[in-house]
Amino acid sequence: MQTRKKYLFLTFLASWLLLFFFGGDQLRRFAFFSGRKAEARRNWPRWTDRTLLRSFADPEELQRDEDLSLLSPRERRAAWLSVYGSGGCRMETCFDFSRCERHGFKVFTYPQERGQPVSETYGKILSSIERSRYHTGNPEEACLFILSIDTLDRDHLSAQYVRDVDEKIRGFPLWNGGRNHLIFNLYSGTWPGYTGELGFDIGQAILAKASFDTHSFRPGFDVSIPLFPKDHPQRGGDRGWLYQDPVPPKKKYLLVFKGKRYLTGIGSGTRNALHHIHNGKDIISLTTCKHGKDWEKHKDTRCDKDNVDYERFDYQELLHNSTFCIVPRGRRLGSFRFLEALQAACIPVLLSDGWELPFSEAIDWGKAAVVGSERLLLQIPSAVRCIHPERVLAFQQQTQFLWDAYFSSVDKIVHTTLEIIKDRLSPHRSRSRLLWNALPGGLLVLPEFSTHLGDFPFYYLQHGRILPAPAEHGKLRACHNTSPSPFPPFFSGYSPSKKFTALIRVVSQAGSLSQPILRLIQAVSGSQYCAQIVVLWSCEKPPPPSGKWPQSTVPLTIIAGRRKLSHRFFPFEAIQTDAVLSLDEDTSLSTSEVDFAFSVWRSFPERIVGFPTRSHFWDPEQGRWGYTSQWTNELSIVLTAAAFYHRYPTGEGPWGPGGSATPCPSPRFLLSRYYHSLFTQYLPAGLRELVDGLAACEDILMNVLVAAVTKLPPVKVTQRKQHKEGLAQQAECGDGAAGTPPAGQRSPPAPRSAPAKAKGTAGSRRFSQRQDCLNQLADWFGYMPLVSSQLRLDPVLYKDQVSVLRKKYPGLEKA
C-alpha cells in the first residue's frame, strides 16, 4: 500500500514539473496579457515573443513602441526621414507623372553651353538620347530631362571633374529641385574612401549610376548601370564570343582572374586573398602590384613573383579559354571586367558585397552570373565545380543574350535605362521579367500593344517546331530543372492563326484597273487560307468605284494611303490576322504558290517568307556593303512585293478581345501589328524619311528590322519557273510623289543572272539608291543585321516524275 502511494505521489509530482517547464511560461504570459487587456493599445497584439509567432521583422522594429498611426503627418514624415534620410525618393513622391500624360514619354536634353567641356563618353550618352524615338526639342513636351553638364566623373582628382555643379543647376529654370531629371554617373568619390558622393545635391533627380551600393540605391527610383570604358562603341558593338566559337561548355580553365592587386586602401582585401585559390592547373589567379606611381613603396614579399607570373598569361586568351571569370570589386564596387566577361561568355563570379547589379530591376542575374561573397572566397572553386554542364551552357547562352540585348553599345545601355523608367510610368502595361530575360529582349518588345507572350511570334516556337499538346505540359514542368528554359510550359499551346490578310499596294491611275491587278486578286482570293484582301490605294486620285472592282469570295477593303513608300507598313486596323501577305499590284502569283508559302510561314512565323530574293555582300575594294540581284545560292533579303510576315495580334491586350482601339482615338493606339508597329514606332522618324526619299528602300528596311529582332535569315519558297519580273504598267500619281519609283520600275525583279544595275539608266539609279540605303541602314544600326542563308523550301513531290494529279501544289510546276 505504501509503495502504491509512493508511485502515485511521484507520478503527480512529475506531471506538475512537466506542466511547469513546458506550459507554465505560456500560462504566465496569457495571464499577463489578460490582466493588461483593458490597457492594451489598439495596435495590439504586438508579437514580441518568438515562441508565439515567427518574426520576419528586424529586432529594432520589434522593440519600437510608438504607434505611427497615432502620429501627426509632420511627426510621421520626421520619423520616415529619420529612417531613410534624404534617400527616400520614390516615383510616387519625387516624380511628376502629369508631365508625361499629354505627349507621352518624351526626353529633353539641355542645350550645350558655350565653353562647357563634355567628355567623349558623355557625348555618346547625349547622342544616344537625341537619336532615340523619345527625344524632343521642346521642353514643354518633355517628361524627362537630361543635363548638358557632364556628371559622369565625380572624382575631384580627375581631369574630367566639373566644378560648381550645384551653382549651375540651381540657375536652370527647368531644374525644379531635380524633379523629372535623370543624372548619369560612372565614377563617384575619391581616394581613399571612394564613397558614393557626387559633390552636388541631386535633389529629387533619378540617378543612373555605376557601382551602386545597395544601401544608397533607391529601389524603383534609381537605375544601376554598368561601368563601361570610354572606347565602348556608340551603337552596334561586337558580338559575343560564343557566337563565333565552338561550344564546349567546359573549357581549358575552370576559373580565372588576371588584374591589379591593391596593396592598401579599399578593395585590397579581396584581391590580396585571390592567390589562395590559385592551383596553376584549372584555376588561374594572377595579380600584379605594378601599377600606380608609388607601388614600390608599398610592395610586399609576393609582388616580385606575382609580377613575373602575371606576364606569362594573356588576358584575352584566358577569357577565351575559361568557363568562369572572377569579377572582384576594385576601388569601387563595379569594374570593366564585368562586361568583358559577359562578352566572352565567361560566366561572371561576382565578389563585390553590396553591389546593386546593373539593371537588376529588369534582369534576372541568377541565370547569367554566380553571385559570391567576399568573406567566402575559398568556397568559390568547390561551388562552381558543382554546377551541372547543362546549367553551365545555359549560363553561357544567357551571357550572350544579355550582352547583345543590353550592354554591347552605349545606345543599348542608355535605351535600357530609359525603357526601365518608362515602364514605371504605366505599371499595368510594363514588361514582365520574362520579356526582359528572353529573346529578343525588352528593347524590342513594345508593351503599349501587348504584354502577353502568346501574342509574339518568337516565344511559342522557342522549344522547337513540334509543339506538345496541352496534356503534356506537366512533363515539361517536371523536366524544367534538367533542361533550363526561360519559357513557361503553357507557351507550347499557342500557334499562328490559320488565315492571312493580303495587303496590295496600288499606285495606278484612278478610273481603270489593270489586268495584273485583276488576276492577282482572283488568285489570292482563291486561297483557302485567305481571310480578306486590303487594297492600299496610294495615289492622289480617288480609287475606281466599287462596281469596277472584281467580285471575290473574301471581303475586299479599299484604304486611301499616303504617298509614301513606308506607309505600306503602317499597322492598319483593318488587318485582323496574324499573317500579312504583302503584294505589289503587278506581282504574278498562283493560288498554289500562295497556299504553299502560307503553310511555310506557319512554321516560321517570326521570319519573312516570300518569293523574290536578293543578297548583300561586303565589297573590300569599295569598303562598303554591296547589294546584288544575281541568282546565287545566298540570300538575305526577301522582297516585300510578295512576302508573308507577322503582324502583332492584340488578342486580350490593352483594349480587350479583338484589339478594338475605339476608346482611344489617338492614332498611336491603333498600331497593333507587331512588325508594322516596330516599323512605325520603334524606328526613329529619320529612318522612315530615308525610306521615303529613296526609291524601293522600304523592303530593305523591313528585312533589316526583322533580322535585327530575330537574328535569323528570311525563308525563300518555291517560285514557278516562268515567274518573271513584273513590268509595272502603272503611271505616276499626279505629278509624282517623293519616293515613288519611276514608271516600269516599281515591282522588285525576280533573281536573274545579271545585276539590276545593268537595266538602263532608271534601273542603275534605282540599284544605286538601294545600295546607298543598305549602307545607311548599316551605319545607323552600327552593324549589318542581315543574315545570309542558302535555304529554299519546296513542297513534297515538287518536280518528281509522278503524275501531276498526285501533287498537292500542281500549279507550282508547269504542266
Side-chain angles (χ1 to χ4, degrees):
M1 187 66 179
Q2 293 295 332
T3 303
R4 184 178 180 183
K5 290 181 178 180
K6 182 178 179 180
Y7 281 119
L8 288 174
F9 176 79
L10 291 175
T11 301
F12 181 79
L13 180 62
S15 300
W16 273 104
L17 289 174
L18 291 173
L19 181 63
F20 178 83
F21 283 109
F22 293 97
D25 188 85
Q26 282 77 2
L27 289 173
R28 287 197 307 275
R29 293 187 179 278
F30 179 78
F32 171 78
F33 283 118
S34 299
R36 299 282 306 273
K37 186 173 183 180
E39 302 175 313
R41 304 172 69 93
R42 62 180 179 178
N43 61 327
W44 187 92
R46 287 189 174 277
W47 298 105
T48 58
D49 193 331
R50 297 178 182 177
T51 62
L52 295 178
L53 182 68
R54 183 183 177 188
S55 174
F56 294 90
D58 296 328
E60 296 178 1
E61 183 180 345
L62 289 176
Q63 296 172 6
R64 195 179 302 133
D65 252 351
E66 296 82 11
D67 184 4
L68 296 181
S69 63
L70 301 178
L71 300 178
S72 67
R74 179 178 297 178
E75 290 172 329
R76 285 201 301 270
R77 178 169 177 78
W80 180 73
L81 289 175
S82 68
V83 176
Y84 296 100
S86 61
C89 267
R90 304 187 304 274
M91 293 294 290
E92 297 82 1
T93 59
C94 297
F95 195 90
D96 184 3
F97 286 82
S98 64
R99 292 199 63 100
C100 313
E101 292 176 355
R102 177 176 297 181
H103 300 285
F105 187 70
K106 295 294 183 181
V107 184
F108 174 78
T109 56
Y110 279 61
Q112 192 68 36
E113 295 184 0
R114 183 175 300 177
Q116 179 67 51
V118 173
S119 65
E120 179 183 356
T121 303
Y122 197 63
K124 291 180 180 179
I125 291 177
L126 294 179
S127 177
S128 297
I129 297 172
E130 291 167 358
R131 293 175 67 251
S132 74
R133 65 185 184 275
Y134 297 129
H135 181 257
T136 178
N138 185 0
E140 298 299 325
E141 298 178 354
C143 168
L144 192 67
F145 298 87
I146 311 294
L147 295 176
S148 60
I149 301 175
D150 190 345
T151 57
L152 291 186
D153 195 341
R154 301 308 298 162
D155 183 346
H156 69 262
L157 298 179
S158 170
Q160 304 291 340
Y161 182 80
V162 179
R163 304 184 183 279
D164 303 323
V165 174
D166 256 328
E167 181 181 347
K168 294 176 180 178
I169 61 178
R170 279 198 298 267
F172 294 149
L174 298 173
W175 175 245
N176 191 25
R179 183 169 285 240
N180 288 58
H181 279 68
L182 174 63
I183 294 175
F184 287 91
N185 174 257
L186 295 181
Y187 310 98
S188 61
T190 188
W191 172 268
Y194 291 95
T195 60
E197 296 181 0
L198 301 181
F200 68 96
D201 184 11
I202 66 172
Q204 297 179 339
I206 299 172
L207 185 57
K209 183 177 181 295
S211 304
F212 231 133
D213 185 355
T214 53
H215 295 294
S216 58
F217 179 76
R218 297 169 291 183
F221 191 74
D222 291 327
V223 180
S224 178
I225 63 175
L227 184 64
F228 57 91
K230 64 180 181 180
D231 59 350
H232 206 55
Q234 170 78 61
R235 50 187 178 272
D238 296 331
R239 292 189 175 185
W241 296 358
L242 189 66
Y243 177 86
Q244 302 166 352
D245 295 339
V247 171
K250 288 191 176 180
K251 303 180 182 179
K252 180 178 180 180
Y253 302 111
L254 174 69
L255 186 66
V256 300
F257 171 78
K258 183 180 181 182
K260 299 176 182 178
R261 177 162 69 91
Y262 304 118
L263 299 173
T264 59
I266 189 169
S268 59
T270 301
R271 297 204 176 198
N272 278 330
L274 287 174
H275 75 280
H276 291 295
I277 64 174
H278 174 80
N279 63 13
K281 298 177 181 178
D282 62 342
I283 300 179
I284 306 297
S285 179
L286 306 171
T287 59
T288 180
C289 313
K290 200 173 182 179
H291 59 90
K293 298 179 180 179
D294 54 353
W295 69 273
E296 292 185 350
K297 296 180 181 178
H298 304 284
K299 64 183 296 186
D300 55 21
T301 56
R302 286 176 33 219
C303 278
D304 291 334
K305 183 179 182 304
D306 286 351
N307 292 340
V308 173
D309 293 341
Y310 186 86
E311 300 297 334
R312 292 174 50 210
F313 291 85
D314 179 72
Y315 178 62
Q316 297 295 324
E317 183 181 350
L318 288 176
L319 287 178
H320 269 286
N321 294 286
S322 181
T323 305
F324 296 90
C325 285
I326 299 177
V327 182
R329 64 163 298 155
R331 292 300 192 190
R332 299 175 178 86
L333 292 173
S335 70
F336 299 135
R337 192 179 312 275
F338 181 64
L339 292 188
E340 293 169 352
L342 281 182
Q343 182 183 8
C346 189
I347 303 169
V349 179
L350 306 177
L351 296 175
S352 185
D353 296 350
W355 182 23
E356 183 71 25
L357 296 182
F359 305 137
S360 56
E361 182 175 339
I363 295 177
D364 183 1
W365 285 109
K367 297 179 180 179
V370 177
V371 181
S373 172
E374 296 179 54
R375 297 174 299 172
L376 303 176
L377 170 64
L378 300 182
Q379 298 182 13
I380 294 297
S382 59
V384 297
R385 290 185 193 278
C386 294
I387 301 178
H388 195 274
E390 291 185 2
R391 188 64 176 162
V392 169
L393 182 56
F395 269 98
Q396 291 174 336
Q397 292 171 337
Q398 192 69 1
T399 62
Q400 301 304 276
F401 159 68
L402 294 177
W403 164 260
D404 182 71
Y406 307 119
F407 299 108
S408 61
S409 67
V410 177
D411 273 6
K412 291 178 180 177
I413 293 174
V414 173
H415 293 167
T416 303
T417 303
L418 296 180
E419 293 292 343
I420 288 176
I421 296 174
K422 181 174 177 288
D423 271 3
R424 298 171 182 170
L425 304 181
S426 303
H428 61 287
R429 290 194 306 185
S430 62
R431 304 164 181 85
S432 66
R433 285 178 70 88
L434 180 56
L435 292 172
W436 282 104
N437 291 277
L439 286 168
L443 297 184
L444 293 170
V445 173
L446 305 179
E448 295 90 344
F449 315 115
S450 180
T451 55
H452 179 54
L453 277 74
D455 288 343
F456 296 89
F458 30 73
Y459 285 122
Y460 47 75
L461 294 182
Q462 291 289 337
H463 291 294
R465 302 297 163 184
I466 301 177
L467 304 179
E472 300 180 18
H473 291 167
K475 297 180 181 178
L476 290 175
R477 186 177 292 107
C479 299
H480 178 71
N481 293 332
T482 57
S483 299
S485 171
F487 304 99
F490 54 79
F491 269 144
S492 55
Y494 293 100
S495 61
S497 67
K498 299 179 180 180
K499 297 286 185 177
F500 69 84
T501 297
L503 179 64
I504 305 175
R505 184 174 185 268
V506 178
V507 294
S508 296
Q509 287 186 348
S512 63
L513 293 174
S514 62
Q515 287 300 315
I517 299 177
L518 299 177
R519 287 195 297 266
L520 181 62
I521 293 176
Q522 183 180 7
V524 173
S525 63
S527 172
Q528 59 181 317
Y529 306 115
C530 183
Q532 61 178 336
I533 297 177
V534 176
V535 177
L536 180 61
W537 191 264
S538 300
C539 193
E540 284 187 343
K541 297 181 180 181
S546 57
K548 291 192 176 183
W549 289 91
Q551 297 293 325
S552 67
T553 57
V554 297
L556 179 65
T557 305
I558 313 299
I559 297 178
R562 300 173 185 172
R563 298 166 60 195
K564 294 182 178 180
L565 293 177
S566 62
H567 196 232
R568 74 182 306 163
F569 298 126
F570 188 86
F572 298 102
E573 188 181 7
I575 302 176
Q576 296 296 323
T577 58
D578 290 359
V580 177
L581 173 58
S582 175
L583 297 167
D584 280 350
E585 60 181 307
D586 56 354
T587 300
S588 176
L589 289 176
S590 67
T591 303
S592 295
E593 285 178 302
V594 173
D595 286 347
F596 176 68
F598 179 69
S599 65
V600 171
W601 176 86
R602 294 197 75 237
S603 296
F604 302 92
E606 74 278 27
R607 308 198 206 183
I608 298 179
V609 176
F611 299 92
T613 60
R614 300 291 182 265
S615 61
H616 75 290
F617 63 93
W618 177 253
D619 188 345
E621 295 182 359
Q622 299 291 331
R624 61 192 307 228
W625 292 101
Y627 171 87
T628 179
S629 59
Q630 290 184 1
W631 196 313
T632 64
N633 290 331
E634 295 284 338
L635 65 98
S636 57
I637 298 172
V638 167
L639 302 183
T640 54
F644 281 97
Y645 53 84
H646 190 280
R647 70 100 173 174
Y648 183 103
T650 52
E652 301 289 337
W655 305 300
S660 176
T662 305
C664 304
S666 175
R668 63 188 293 268
F669 290 101
L670 301 179
L671 311 183
S672 58
R673 286 79 193 158
Y674 178 66
Y675 287 134
H676 282 179
S677 300
L678 283 182
F679 192 93
T680 55
Q681 289 292 300
Y682 173 76
L683 297 176
L687 283 184
R688 296 193 299 275
E689 292 172 1
L690 169 66
V691 166
D692 294 330
L694 296 175
C697 184
E698 81 283 2
D699 51 356
I700 297 180
L701 178 55
M702 177 58 83
N703 276 267
V704 168
L705 176 61
V706 174
V709 172
T710 63
K711 308 297 187 295
L712 295 170
V715 177
K716 177 178 173 59
V717 292
T718 298
Q719 214 172 333
R720 284 185 304 170
K721 188 173 183 180
Q722 66 268 32
H723 187 88
K724 300 178 181 180
E725 174 187 358
L727 299 176
Q729 303 297 325
Q730 69 270 25
E732 296 182 5
C733 300
D735 297 330
T740 303
Q745 295 296 326
R746 181 63 194 94
S747 178
R752 294 194 175 202
S753 58
K757 62 181 179 180
K759 298 175 183 176
T761 305
S764 299
R765 183 172 62 253
R766 180 171 178 271
F767 181 88
S768 177
Q769 287 179 331
R770 292 176 71 83
Q771 188 156 273
D772 290 342
C773 172
L774 183 65
N775 281 275
Q776 291 186 54
L777 294 179
D779 179 69
W780 188 89
F781 280 88
Y783 71 106
M784 173 52 71
L786 293 176
V787 181
S788 296
S789 172
Q790 296 183 353
L791 175 67
R792 191 186 90 168
L793 297 182
D794 297 339
V796 177
L797 301 180
Y798 177 65
K799 291 188 176 181
D800 283 2
Q801 298 300 318
V802 297
S803 172
V804 175
L805 298 177
R806 294 177 56 189
K807 299 182 179 182
K808 185 175 181 180
Y809 304 100
L812 294 183
E813 186 174 0
K814 186 176 180 180

